[in-house]
Amino acid sequence: MLGYRDRANSDEDLIDPHRRGAPFYFQRMDAPRPQRNRVHVDVWVPYDQAEARIAAALEAGGRLVNDADAPSNWVLADPEGNEACVGVAGPPGPAAHRP
């Protein structure tokens, strides 16, 4: 429907061949979840955008589930318990601090 293609060497990732849309990663779950949390979305953003994305999700009614892997990954949930992760793509900190 979206025109996405399999990412090379992966049967779990889909990418937009035009590089306009975000990629999708499908993660297998250990146990079936027939009610809540039937979909889990991972969003990968540049390091300097992570805080804004998390703040927007919390402002929209979400809640923080786990920040044990911060500042590289946070788990959030909507009011029904459906989880989503905000992950950092790339090294932390501004480009000026990188070698």
Side-chain angles (χ1 to χ4, degrees), residues 31-94:
R33 296 182 182 180
Q35 299 298 320
R36 295 184 175 168
N37 206 20
R38 294 176 66 191
V39 174
H40 179 110
V41 177
D42 288 348
V43 177
W44 295 93
V45 298
Y47 183 83
D48 60 352
Q49 294 180 17
E51 283 187 35
R53 294 287 183 104
I54 293 164
L58 297 175
E59 199 171 302
R63 64 182 170 84
L64 181 64
V65 173
N66 187 333
D67 64 355
D69 294 320
S72 62
N73 189 60
W74 296 261
V75 181
L76 307 170
D78 68 10
E80 293 184 359
N82 295 298
E83 295 179 356
C85 291
V86 175
V88 172

Side-chain angles (χ1 to χ4, degrees), residues 92-99:
H97 296 321
R98 284 184 257 162

Side-chain angles (χ1 to χ4, degrees), residues 11-12 25-31:
D11 59 356
E12 300 168 330
Y25 170 76
F26 296 92
Q27 181 178 12
R28 293 191 186 279
M29 305 306 288
D30 294 333

